[in-house]
Amino acid sequence: MAFTALDALRDGYEVYPVVDAIAGTSPEAHRAGLDRVVQAGAQPISWVSLACELQRDWARLDTVQPIVQIVLTDRLLKE
Amino acid sequence: MTSAPVRDPLDDHLLTPENAAFLFIDYQPSQLATIRSMEPALLLKNAVSTVRTIKTFGIPVVHSTVNVANGQGPTLPELAVLLADDKPLDRTTVNSWEGHRIRLGRPRHRPPQARHLRLVDRSVHGLHRPGRAARRV
């Protein structure tokens, strides 16, 4: 992830690493990779936060049912 | 309850389904086997939830794998089934950006040093939509 993110940032893209859907060979390796891309300008995000940011408004009915299922029913309320 | 007015999804400074692309890189058995920063089972669950979310919003996906042609296992089945419409692009480079020369669409703020770069991979050119400001998520 880190090399791709660094190249994408250099090419002018905004980068949002999904920090809890990415992992490393040690806690230190994971942290170092994220720190490196964040210092280069990446903006860390969690998968739940990503889902909420994309949904944005619970009155957007086209996607609200599957997103509630994915985030709440299948994960947060179950675990 | 009525919905709030929708802000311009291309111009929004937050992520929207219209201004983002998703790069999915190396969720393969040999990678999962080396994970020591969290429980591999939780990582897989989080990746599945992320991909289900991305697909719900119809966000374009670049599906990249490393070294499958040389014997590495392909994308984990729990994730591959969600990405049936996104054919994996296999590469040998560690860095997927170097391997595919991905062009996602117009960056929002093209830095001066990138002015002369034109990164085109015909295999993913369908992702390019005029006006789309692409972001890796």
Side-chain angles (χ1 to χ4, degrees):
Chain A
M1 180 284 288
F3 301 137
T4 301
L6 293 168
D7 272 359
L9 287 162
R10 173 61 65 95
D11 286 351
Y13 295 100
E14 297 174 13
V15 175
Y16 297 77
V18 185
V19 296
D20 47 2
I22 295 171
T25 53
S26 68
E28 294 80 6
H30 177 65
R31 193 67 257 165
L34 279 177
D35 284 352
R36 188 172 175 193
V37 300
V38 167
Q39 286 183 34
Q43 302 173 61
I45 191 171
S46 69
W47 80 264
V48 172
S49 175
L50 172 65
C52 294
E53 188 164 340
L54 293 170
Q55 177 63 34
R56 200 69 69 83
D57 184 339
W58 301 110
R60 294 184 192 173
L61 300 179
D62 285 352
T63 49
V64 71
Q65 187 277 330
I67 290 304
V68 166
Q69 179 78 34
I70 293 165
V71 177
L72 292 172
T73 313
D74 289 352
R75 295 295 308 276
L76 300 187
L77 297 178
K78 193 173 169 185
E79 294 171 356
Chain B
M1 183 82 70
T2 54
S3 188
V6 179
R7 307 200 300 217
D8 179 347
L10 281 176
D11 199 40
D12 200 321
H13 72 109
L14 297 181
L15 290 168
T16 72
E18 288 77 18
N19 71 11
F22 183 67
L23 304 195
F24 176 91
I25 306 165
D26 300 356
Y27 286 83
Q28 294 164 246
S30 52
Q31 276 72 20
L32 195 69
T34 66
I35 295 307
R36 299 290 182 274
S37 62
M38 68 189 292
E39 278 299 317
L42 178 59
L43 172 67
L44 181 56
K45 281 167 76 171
N46 289 350
V48 165
S49 297
T50 303
V51 173
R52 288 177 69 198
T53 298
I54 291 295
K55 298 306 277 187
T56 296
F57 289 101
I59 292 173
V61 175
V62 176
H63 178 183
S64 184
T65 57
V66 66
N67 236 7
V68 172
N70 294 318
Q72 292 286 314
T75 297
L76 294 155
E78 296 88 338
L79 290 157
V81 70
L82 301 171
L83 296 170
D85 296 334
D86 306 292
K87 185 170 165 286
L89 304 169
D90 194 40
R91 60 179 211 284
T92 57
T93 58
V94 171
N95 175 1
S96 68
W97 201 264
E98 226 174 321
H100 302 313
R101 306 195 336 131
I102 296 164
R103 180 180 167 85
L104 297 170
R106 175 181 59 84
R108 290 168 170 259
H109 309 293
R110 184 173 289 257
Q113 67 268 29
R115 191 175 300 142
H116 302 297
L117 294 180
R118 182 164 177 81
L119 305 178
V120 177
D121 182 337
R122 291 187 189 284
S123 60
V124 295
H125 85 287
L127 288 172
H128 179 62
R129 297 179 197 170
R132 172 182 286 272
R135 303 152 166 213
R136 170 198 161 81
V137 294

